[in-house]
Amino acid sequence: MAPQIPTGADPLTELLNGVRTVGAVFNQSTLSGTWAVRFEDGSPLALAVSLQGPVWVLPQDGEPVLLGPGDVAVLSGGNPYMIADDPDAEPGVVIGPGGRCTTVDGQDTRTTQGPGSTVLLNGLYTVDHGVPGQLLAALPALAVVRAGQGPCPISPAAFEDITRPEPGRQVMLDRMLDLMLITALRSWFTRPGAQVPAWYRAHGDPVVGPALRLLTAGPAHPWTVEALAAKTGVSRAALARRFTTLVGQPPMTYLREHRLALAADLLREPGATVGAVAGKVGFSSAFALSATFKKVRGISPSEHRTSETRAKD
């Protein structure tokens, strides 16, 4: 039986629904004088918030952006970046995997805590826990949410309380990072003039929106354009034409890429087999998934999983 069209769903909820971290790394630094911190942690998503004073965010392949107090920077893709008091400053500290803090020559150190003119808060998502691939694909390398665009759900006082070394501290940090990220992304995706993917905008269409929700709700169902058209109440040709115009690709191409994105996320999970993942995302066998994955992504599912494991290490 084909899935029923989900009601009450919105594209932002679907996009953010899988955002959940385990083992969040937070760092609050109090800085003064001339300083620069380079981040090489490889986190697929990271947050930077200036709690006090202006800071510059310098993505590896982008223009420097100035953050004021309360502004939130969301960095995606895992590429190195730098945060500094001046865009021309040289880094003195490097943040590596797991939040390890070293000097530029690899000696363990720590950022300063004490009086200073700048207070910087960083939250890092661990590489080995699910950040949906569709979310990463929808984000630029650097998305900035200005203080006036949306409320910050965590006050500095609340952060100080949560970070005390007491029972339950880590799970509170994890949920706090999720809440901060979701709040920031909600403001970013819904801001006036937001540049969002075509499929995101297409969710508001009375024909294509329900079709997208059906594909999202039941990726393992053996969909055809005819079956999808019957569910949405239009002809096969009308659905194919409207879907392609609004989303930028035909329905079955979108479904294939959605299934592969889900497979890539599921393959990160410990103990996941290619055969089990294939069944969950709508491929008839491990061979069918492997062949399509290799054709579209250039590597096999096993190679993808190995590369993810190496990234974690």
Side-chain angles (χ1 to χ4, degrees):
M1 179 181 294
Q4 298 300 306
I5 298 175
T7 58
D10 70 84
L12 187 58
T13 294
E14 293 173 6
L15 192 64
L16 299 178
N17 192 44
V19 176
R20 186 176 179 86
T21 193
V22 177
V25 176
F26 269 97
N27 180 51
Q28 181 173 333
S29 307
T30 306
L31 304 152
S32 60
T34 299
W35 58 271
V37 180
R38 181 172 173 81
F39 290 80
E40 298 179 352
D41 54 280
S43 299
L45 279 175
L47 291 179
V49 184
S50 174
L51 300 179
Q52 176 182 304
V55 299
W56 287 90
V57 180
L58 297 89
Q60 180 169 268
D61 299 313
E63 294 296 320
V65 175
L66 181 64
L67 298 185
D71 293 346
V72 179
V74 181
L75 297 113
S76 67
N79 292 324
Y81 59 95
M82 193 167 74
I83 301 180
D85 75 310
D86 187 288
D88 296 320
E90 292 294 327
V93 171
V94 177
I95 306 295
R100 184 189 175 205
C101 185
T102 69
T103 61
V104 290
D105 58 1
Q107 301 298 312
D108 285 333
T109 186
R110 60 185 300 174
T111 52
T112 59
Q113 300 291 332
S117 58
T118 301
V119 180
L120 177 67
L121 173 63
N122 298 98
L124 309 177
Y125 266 72
T126 52
V127 177
D128 55 333
H129 291 280
V131 175
Q134 193 175 42
L135 173 59
L136 294 178
L139 287 172
L142 172 61
V144 175
V145 178
R146 299 298 178 185
Q149 286 184 260
C152 180
I154 303 296
S155 68
F159 179 79
E160 292 287 349
D161 182 62
I162 290 171
T163 52
R164 291 175 184 169
E166 297 179 357
R169 174 179 179 270
Q170 186 59 59
V171 72
M172 292 183 72
L173 289 174
D174 293 340
R175 298 294 76 77
M176 181 171 72
L177 181 54
D178 290 340
L179 179 59
M180 291 180 70
L181 178 71
I182 289 170
T183 301
L185 292 182
R186 183 173 63 176
S187 296
W188 192 81
F189 276 106
T190 58
R191 75 196 191 284
Q195 298 297 313
V196 296
W199 61 262
Y200 184 97
R201 294 192 301 272
H203 267 270
D205 184 80
V207 172
V208 178
L212 284 167
R213 289 190 282 277
L214 282 166
L215 297 178
T216 300
H221 183 75
W223 288 110
T224 63
V225 178
E226 290 85 352
L228 202 58
K231 279 286 183 181
T232 54
V234 296
S235 71
R236 177 186 183 281
L239 174 63
R241 181 172 57 252
R242 193 176 186 94
F243 196 105
T244 302
T245 298
L246 294 182
V247 179
Q249 54 190 183
M252 294 301 101
T253 302
Y254 173 87
L255 176 60
R256 181 192 65 184
E257 294 190 359
H258 179 58
R259 285 170 168 171
L260 292 178
L262 289 175
D265 291 338
L266 290 171
L267 285 165
R268 296 173 178 169
E269 297 181 359
T273 66
V274 177
V277 170
K280 289 180 179 179
V281 301
F283 286 89
S284 59
S285 65
F287 176 79
L289 171 58
S290 295
T292 306
F293 203 101
K294 175 102 175 170
K295 180 180 179 181
V296 174
R297 298 202 166 204
I299 60 173
S300 69
S302 297
E303 290 169 333
H304 165 78
R305 182 165 49 198
T306 299
S307 68
E308 292 288 310
T309 301
R310 286 175 179 168
K312 288 187 287 184
D313 298 335

